[in-house]
Amino acid sequence: MPTQAQHRQLGITLVESCVVLAIACMGVGAALPAYERAVERHHVEGAAAQLRSDFHFARSQAASSQQSVRFSVGAATSNCYVVHTGGAKDCDCGPQGEAICKAGARALRTGRFAADGPISLHSNSPSMLIHPGHGTVTPTGTIRVQGRQGARLHLVVNILGRMRSCVAAGALPGQPNC
């Protein structure tokens, strides 16, 4: 028969299990805010990439069709934009994010972010005209892509139709400041 000194404990005690669980919970709790910021940054940068791509599409459509094309951020909802022909107020976003155009105007592409989603759009220029021959943009403008927790990326369009991105005071690491 083994003596008490020779008896070895097999397994772990309840107290040891609780200590390990508490340490694991603290680690997860400390990492969660960083994870949420990373997810928001991913959403903001992804939306900005989509906007850049659709803006380049608008410029190429103007050049290939030899017709002025507009890039309009929706007035009805700030989470929608339309690439279209016609006048500045000829196309807008409908309640479901679809393009609604007046006679004579034609929607070429529509982009929409869910109203209750992680991204919102804001523009200081509701409609930018892209000239077909020169590729110039009037008026110039800035489209701000903003996440729910405040991460913002500015897409600045210059008169030559080039788009650059920047952030206010290092809001997103790796992006240049405005």
Side-chain angles (χ1 to χ4, degrees):
M1 258 230 173
T3 65
Q4 201 170 11
Q6 294 174 334
H7 192 305
R8 293 191 339 173
Q9 176 186 355
L10 301 174
I12 57 174
T13 67
L14 181 60
V15 172
E16 291 170 333
S17 298
C18 289
V19 169
V20 168
L21 183 61
I23 292 170
C25 287
M26 287 189 304
V28 169
L32 191 58
Y35 174 74
E36 289 174 347
R37 283 191 302 274
V39 168
E40 181 179 46
R41 178 181 177 170
H42 175 74
H43 285 300
V44 168
E45 290 176 344
Q50 179 181 340
L51 282 159
R52 262 190 226 97
S53 175
D54 286 345
F55 192 82
H56 290 301
F57 167 78
R59 287 187 72 206
S60 68
Q61 282 297 114
S64 66
S65 69
Q66 288 298 305
Q67 180 180 3
S68 293
V69 173
R70 289 193 169 272
F71 190 94
S72 300
V73 176
T77 172
S78 63
N79 287 348
C80 180
Y81 60 91
V82 182
V83 175
H84 64 93
T85 61
K89 296 182 179 181
D90 286 353
C91 289
D92 200 357
C93 298
Q96 301 300 320
E98 74 281 6
I100 299 174
C101 296
K102 295 178 182 175
R106 183 171 54 101
L108 304 172
R109 182 164 292 172
T110 304
R112 178 176 80 87
F113 302 100
D116 59 347
I119 298 297
S120 64
L121 301 178
H122 307 278
S123 179
N124 66 349
S125 181
S127 185
M128 293 179 257
L129 176 70
I130 302 165
H131 188 275
H134 303 109
T136 56
V137 175
T138 55
T140 60
T142 300
I143 302 169
R144 187 177 74 220
V145 182
Q146 183 169 338
R148 280 189 173 180
Q149 296 177 355
R152 293 181 206 169
L153 187 62
H154 300 263
L155 299 173
V156 181
V157 180
N158 69 18
I159 196 163
L160 296 176
R162 294 195 178 107
M163 186 180 276
R164 69 177 174 88
S165 60
C166 62
V167 296
L172 290 175
Q175 296 288 340
N177 290 336
C178 292

